[in-house]
Amino acid sequence: MAWRLPVVMLLSPYLASAALAAEPGTAAGVWSFDAAVGYDSFSHAYSLATTDTSETVSETRLALGWEGRSPAGGRTAWRLRLEGSIGTDLWRQGLEADWRRRDARGVDRLRVGARLAGRQYREGTDYASASDQGEGRLEAAVVPWAGTGRECFVTGWTAATRFAIASPLEQDQDEAGLGIGLRSRSLASSAWRVALRHAARTYPDSSVIDRRAWSLDVDWSGSVGVAGLARLYGRSERRLAREPTVRPDAWLHWLDAALEVPAPGVDLVAEAQAERWDYGAQTATWVDSWRAAGFLGLRRGDVLAGQWRLGLAGEVFESAEESESYVQAGARAGFEAYGSGLSGSVVVEHGRRSYGTQATDEALPTWTDFSYWRLWLMADWRVSESLTLSALGNWEPERHTEPLDDATLGFASLRLVWRR
Amino acid sequence: MDGRRSGNRGKAGAFGAALALALALLAGVGTPAPAQAQGGEELRAYLDRTDELLDWAAGQVSASGSERARGILNQATQLQRRSRDLLARQRPLEAFSLARRARDAMWHAVRLSREAAGLEERIRVRSERFADQHAQLLERAREGGAGRAGELLERAREQAQRAAERAVQGDLPLAWKLLEQADDLLRLAARQLADGAGPERVAHELERSRSLVDEAGQQLEGGAAEAEALAMLADARDALARADAAAGTDPGQALQLAGLARRLAQRALASAGTGSGAEAVQRLLERFDARAAELAPRLRDGEPGPAQRAFERAREEREASARALADGRVERALRHARSAHDLLEQAARGLR
């Protein structure tokens, strides 16, 4: 397994290229290459009863990518991407392929996509779970009917993940699903999609957690007024477990909404996210809950010269286990700019989370109030036409009323990317 | 229960008992044997209860996907075992200290596992949503030339991969944060795409912006527009001039400036109260007809392809606009008219 997957993945692009070349008029693609050298670091600091209070995993890696796609405008379109990286902890390989056939009206009547990924851990890795793994996914979609502004689609997929050595967190799994839906096909500013899907996920080594899920998705984005933008996404999902006493059946309802409306001198920005979980049978681990989070603020400025964003963020979580319920509020400020050379964004948020009640049962955990900072940074410096230095990072310390509950999450990434 | 969680009302009884036990043990040093025996009994009871809680916690932790919770619970179990050893060797103070630390570690593990139980499912849902959105945006980025939006999409994909790797490691809080950042990157890419960031679109976007700025000029300068509207119009013209200047050297910046010019022109029209009027729609339709008449012969001569398809859909949008206008739905008519112009320009690009 460990050696077979990389070999298959290395050969796959050549096989795919050969297949594409066999079809007249599709082999002359547009090809590009990219290479990157970078450093990633993840850290999680927390107090513990023993002396160890933090965990940091860092990795340096060199990545290479090769991508080709068909020229625009053809009846047959394809895309192929191969990538691989050598890191101090992990070797990774990835392959993505996509092929589609369009009719005379430009409708993608048939689309087939495949994805393969492999990871091999090196000896002495800092990762806690270090089982080599391979993933594959194959999906297909057909459009049996297309009207002027909308089209019906049917999609199906199958996927598998395999680990060389199984562990509670590294379990082989298989998935298969079917979906049907309707979506807009206008190039106008408004777009929408409605889809019904059914998926089955199985775990060969732990069949008690097998499950099936029915889901209904609605997605819409469009203009509001003369220059406003809005986006709405809703999803309802019914999960049916094979063994409900191990993992209960559940209903999930999920909503994302965003609105940007111009006002005199500024843009009004509002974002909201809500979710509700209802379990068929509540257990000590799985309890009913709902959560609502949002941001309301103002944006001002020209994104090329610099754009400010200021506002209030809040979150409410209500759980059937009352001691987990909390209210959180914070102030958020951000700045972003997308000039020709240096571009990026920085966001800072400071706030506090308060838990309403404490557990009355000794056999339940307790939670303590805390104040937090969140810093999120993204920056790109275009050194030359083909060379970019990229940085990503976040730092989130929590300071609790009980100091031993303090925790800090952190992530930093620095990469030098060359594209041709 | 344990001295550490001093703010815990629900465990006040247990805390008091533990405190009393600690005091009793401290006071018991050097006291007669019966008192020590009583303290030893209470400590044994405390350790027995900790064993029960550890068993219960093991069930909680094993149901979650948190590797960290598992590790910490293992440490709690080891601390408890060492505490028992110390008690057996008649070292009750040290035994009690370790037993308290074992409970602290156990509660820490249980909290992490409860957080993880919810996060595991939330990460799955959010990952699926991310994959859907990423695929849609990638499609749009390819249609119009990737540009900076394409780079942002690539970074979003990498960040989602990092999140997936952290999830496999059982580090679910960090996986969730990374996934949030991947979503932020998607949003940035979507905004870039909404503003038209593909280098191939420069000429088209400049033309759109020029058309709108000219239209705003015709409407505002001939009438009694307010100073604020005229100032915004001047800003729009300035942005358009900067976009023209940048077109040859920095296509990305030119596109951004062209978008800015359009937004300013739209705001100028809106502030003057003429932006969504029936007259504006009518003028757009007339301009469409004139442009369509120019393109039609060339499109007829060419072979069927994307340009013809775009032209056909542009005419459909134009008809939809006219119908909406006749029904008195001016906002809708304006949107259809703009879509018609966009599609017409797409058809024109296809002929080049």
Side-chain angles (χ1 to χ4, degrees), chain A residues 149-201:
Chain A
R150 60 190 74 90
E151 64 190 24
C152 171
F153 62 93
V154 178
T155 180
W157 70 93
T158 180
T161 303
R162 292 290 180 269
F163 291 91
I165 303 166
S167 76
L169 291 176
E170 298 163 302
Q171 297 196 39
D172 294 351
Q173 55 180 276
D174 299 317
E175 185 179 308
L178 271 176
I180 185 167
L182 204 61
R183 66 188 168 214
S184 63
R185 57 177 299 267
S186 165
L187 294 181
S189 54
S190 164
W192 53 267
R193 181 174 62 92
V194 181
L196 178 68
R197 288 188 266 209
H198 178 256
R201 186 175 291 178

Side-chain angles (χ1 to χ4, degrees), chain A residues 96-110:
Chain A
E96 286 181 29
D98 180 274
W99 180 90
R100 65 190 65 196
R101 182 80 180 170
R102 293 190 172 121
D103 69 8
R105 292 189 299 154
V107 178
D108 285 342
R109 289 290 182 175
L110 173 64

Side-chain angles (χ1 to χ4, degrees), chain B residues 164-212:
Chain B
E165 287 181 6
R166 295 315 299 172
V168 169
Q169 292 299 320
D171 190 356
L172 299 176
L174 191 52
W176 177 256
K177 294 294 171 197
L178 295 174
L179 205 48
E180 281 185 331
Q181 289 166 8
D183 274 341
D184 285 343
L185 289 165
L186 271 195
R187 272 195 287 272
L188 286 174
R191 279 179 57 196
Q192 297 266 321
L193 285 169
D195 288 345
E200 296 88 347
R201 290 188 171 174
V202 172
H204 164 60
E205 295 296 315
L206 283 172
E207 201 166 326
R208 273 181 72 196
S209 300
R210 192 169 294 111
S211 165
L212 192 61

Side-chain angles (χ1 to χ4, degrees), chain A residues 40 42 44 46-50 55 73 79 81 83 90 92 96 100 104-106 119 121 127-129 148 168-169 185-188 193 197 201 211 219 223 226-227 231 233 235 237 239 247 252 254 256 267 275 277 284-287 291 299 302-304 307 324 336 338-340 343 359 362-368 374 376 378-380 382 390-392 394 396 402 404-405 409 411 413 415 419, chain B residues 1 4-11 14 49 53 56 60 63 65-68 70 72 75 79 101 103-105 107-108 110-111 114-115 117 120-122 124-125 128-129 132-133 136 138-139 142-143 148 151-152 154-155 157-159 161-162 165-166 168-171 173-174 176-178 181 184-185 187-188 191-192 242 250 253 256-257 260 266-267 306 309 313 316-317 331 335 338-339 343 346:
Chain A
D40 284 2
F42 308 91
H44 189 174
Y46 52 94
S47 299
L48 188 59
T50 56
E55 178 183 285
R79 173 183 171 264
R81 178 173 174 84
E83 60 189 15
L90 259 174
R92 299 171 177 86
E96 286 181 29
R100 65 190 65 196
R105 292 189 299 154
R119 297 184 187 94
Y121 291 85
Y127 285 110
S129 303
T148 306
L169 291 176
R185 57 177 299 267
S186 165
L187 294 181
R193 181 174 62 92
R197 288 188 266 209
R201 186 175 291 178
R211 71 199 73 168
D219 204 348
S223 53
V226 175
R231 187 171 181 92
Y233 169 79
R235 173 180 176 138
E237 180 181 295
R239 187 183 73 192
R247 189 162 292 205
L252 159 69
W254 187 290
D256 279 347
D267 289 337
E275 61 190 79
W277 296 85
T285 305
W286 311 99
V287 293
R291 179 191 314 267
R299 199 170 59 198
D302 176 353
V303 77
L304 292 177
Q307 189 171 65
E324 288 179 323
E336 60 184 341
Y338 293 94
S340 53
S343 64
E362 188 193 0
L364 283 173
T366 57
W367 313 80
T368 53
R374 286 180 184 161
W376 154 233
M378 186 200 75
D380 278 353
R382 201 175 288 271
S390 300
L392 271 179
N394 86 304
E396 301 194 4
E402 170 54 63
L404 286 174
D405 288 345
L409 276 178
F411 162 70
S413 169
R415 299 182 70 201
R419 288 188 176 86
Chain B
M1 185 194 81
R4 168 193 165 199
R5 311 198 64 78
S6 54
N8 180 346
R9 292 194 304 272
K11 293 172 190 167
R49 178 61 184 145
L53 287 170
W56 167 81
Q60 293 270 307
S66 173
E67 182 63 31
R68 183 162 294 118
R70 287 161 205 260
I72 292 173
Q75 289 178 318
L79 287 167
R101 287 166 58 190
R103 279 208 188 179
D104 282 347
W107 287 120
H108 191 94
V110 170
R111 280 202 306 276
R114 290 193 69 82
E115 283 175 349
E120 198 179 359
E121 289 292 306
R122 296 178 76 207
R124 178 186 60 78
V125 172
E128 288 176 10
R129 164 108 165 105
D132 278 351
Q133 274 193 304
Q136 286 171 30
L138 198 60
E139 199 64 33
R142 282 184 199 135
E143 277 173 10
R148 182 160 288 164
E151 291 173 18
L152 286 167
E154 179 59 22
R155 295 182 72 180
R157 190 182 65 87
E158 288 173 359
Q159 197 71 342
Q161 276 182 351
R162 288 187 182 107
E165 287 181 6
R166 295 315 299 172
V168 169
Q169 292 299 320
D171 190 356
L174 191 52
W176 177 256
K177 294 294 171 197
L178 295 174
Q181 289 166 8
D184 285 343
L185 289 165
R187 272 195 287 272
L188 286 174
R191 279 179 57 196
Q192 297 266 321
R242 285 162 62 199
D250 190 341
Q253 190 174 34
Q256 294 280 358
L257 285 164
L260 180 65
Q266 282 167 342
R267 284 186 194 175
R309 293 195 294 272
R313 289 173 63 190
E316 289 168 2
E317 287 287 328
E331 282 282 332
R335 278 203 294 276
R338 286 184 179 144
S339 296
L343 288 161
Q346 193 177 324

Side-chain angles (χ1 to χ4, degrees), chain B residues 23-352:
Chain B
L23 291 171
L25 289 167
L26 285 169
V29 177
T31 56
Q36 282 195 19
Q38 188 183 355
E41 282 306 309
E42 289 183 21
L43 180 55
R44 277 192 191 85
Y46 183 81
L47 289 176
D48 290 346
R49 178 61 184 145
T50 304
D51 277 336
E52 289 172 15
L53 287 170
L54 282 169
D55 283 344
W56 167 81
Q60 293 270 307
V61 169
S62 66
S64 82
S66 173
E67 182 63 31
R68 183 162 294 118
R70 287 161 205 260
I72 292 173
L73 190 65
N74 279 341
Q75 289 178 318
T77 307
Q78 287 166 14
L79 287 167
Q80 171 76 350
R81 198 172 298 133
R82 284 167 54 199
S83 173
R84 288 235 179 244
D85 288 347
L86 287 167
L87 183 62
R89 284 186 276 158
Q90 301 298 317
R91 293 161 65 182
L93 279 176
E94 292 166 72
F96 179 61
S97 172
L98 280 189
R100 279 175 53 199
R101 287 166 58 190
R103 279 208 188 179
D104 282 347
M106 181 208 69
W107 287 120
H108 191 94
V110 170
R111 280 202 306 276
L112 286 174
S113 70
R114 290 193 69 82
E115 283 175 349
L119 275 179
E120 198 179 359
E121 289 292 306
R122 296 178 76 207
I123 285 171
R124 178 186 60 78
V125 172
R126 196 154 188 169
S127 298
E128 288 176 10
R129 164 108 165 105
F130 174 87
D132 278 351
Q133 274 193 304
H134 187 267
Q136 286 171 30
L137 292 171
L138 198 60
E139 199 64 33
R140 285 174 56 193
R142 282 184 199 135
E143 277 173 10
R148 182 160 288 164
E151 291 173 18
L152 286 167
L153 287 172
E154 179 59 22
R155 295 182 72 180
R157 190 182 65 87
E158 288 173 359
Q159 197 71 342
Q161 276 182 351
R162 288 187 182 107
E165 287 181 6
R166 295 315 299 172
V168 169
Q169 292 299 320
D171 190 356
L172 299 176
L174 191 52
W176 177 256
K177 294 294 171 197
L178 295 174
L179 205 48
E180 281 185 331
Q181 289 166 8
D183 274 341
D184 285 343
L185 289 165
L186 271 195
R187 272 195 287 272
L188 286 174
R191 279 179 57 196
Q192 297 266 321
L193 285 169
D195 288 345
E200 296 88 347
R201 290 188 171 174
V202 172
H204 164 60
E205 295 296 315
L206 283 172
E207 201 166 326
R208 273 181 72 196
S209 300
R210 192 169 294 111
S211 165
L212 192 61
V213 171
D214 287 349
E215 183 191 329
Q218 284 171 20
Q219 292 192 34
L220 297 176
E221 288 173 339
E226 291 181 1
E228 186 188 357
L230 292 172
M232 267 190 276
L233 177 63
D235 287 344
R237 284 185 170 141
D238 178 50
L240 186 59
R242 285 162 62 199
D244 274 328
T249 54
D250 190 341
Q253 190 174 34
L255 288 167
Q256 294 280 358
L257 285 164
L260 180 65
R262 273 200 308 280
R263 286 194 293 276
L264 287 166
Q266 282 167 342
R267 284 186 194 175
L269 285 168
S271 73
T274 57
S276 58
E279 285 181 17
V281 177
Q282 196 57 51
R283 266 196 296 276
L284 279 174
L285 293 181
E286 286 166 9
R287 192 174 300 162
F288 175 92
D289 292 340
R291 180 88 171 116
E294 281 174 27
L295 292 175
R298 293 167 60 197
L299 286 160
R300 269 200 302 273
D301 295 343
E303 288 186 8
Q308 280 76 7
R309 293 195 294 272
F311 186 68
E312 203 55 41
R313 289 173 63 190
R315 289 174 61 170
E316 289 168 2
E317 287 287 328
R318 187 249 181 262
E319 291 310 310
S321 174
R323 281 195 302 274
L325 190 61
D327 293 343
R329 301 159 78 180
V330 179
E331 282 282 332
R332 178 181 284 261
L334 186 60
R335 278 203 294 276
H336 281 300
R338 286 184 179 144
S339 296
H341 272 278
D342 288 349
L343 288 161
L344 198 61
E345 288 311 318
Q346 193 177 324
R349 285 203 311 280
L351 288 173
R352 283 172 200 151

Side-chain angles (χ1 to χ4, degrees), chain A residues 336-349:
Chain A
E336 60 184 341
Y338 293 94
S340 53
L342 185 64
S343 64
S345 69
V346 58
V347 178
V348 182
E349 182 178 324

